[in-house]
Amino acid sequence: MTAHWLFAAGLGEGVVLGLAAAVGIVAVRGGRVPGWGRRPVVRRRLWGQGALLVTAAVALQSLNLAFSGPGFLQFAGVLVSGAGLITGAALMHRATRDRRRGPTAPTTS
């Protein structure tokens, strides 16, 4: 019974990560950002790169927890995925700021 629940949870996580990766790819390639962002995104491609990095870090963390046992490899995976999460979030935050006009001045495209 537990195996079915774990399979469904892994499948759900895969779907969510796939959607997150699709959002990042659309932002990088097409310059479109989803509307749920509270602050205006000034540099859309940078935001997409940050979203892709966050998605990759979460995927790495889930694979690391699933396939590596306790030890140095798991610790290294946690450090790398944590650094990816922080860097991706910093990129996404930086994409909301315009260097020329102040912290939240939107530009017209």
Side-chain angles (χ1 to χ4, degrees):
M1 188 67 169
T2 304
H4 298 296
W5 183 82
L6 290 176
F7 178 76
L11 185 64
E13 182 179 11
V15 168
V16 169
L17 287 174
L19 289 173
V23 165
I25 290 169
V26 167
V28 169
R29 298 282 297 170
R32 294 188 178 162
V33 177
W36 63 72
R38 299 244 186 253
R39 288 188 273 171
V41 175
V42 179
R43 294 184 273 175
R44 295 180 180 109
R45 295 193 198 305
L46 183 64
W47 187 91
Q49 291 170 351
L52 283 174
L53 188 58
V54 166
T55 303
V58 171
L60 173 68
Q61 180 63 28
S62 64
L63 290 174
N64 183 30
L65 289 175
F67 293 122
S68 68
F72 178 73
L73 186 61
Q74 187 178 22
F75 179 69
V78 167
L79 287 179
V80 169
S81 65
L85 282 170
I86 291 170
T87 305
L91 287 175
M92 291 172 74
H93 172 70
R94 188 66 189 139
T96 63
R97 304 177 66 85
D98 190 7
R99 290 176 280 196
R100 297 169 291 170
R101 298 186 190 172
T104 58
T107 60
T108 58
S109 330

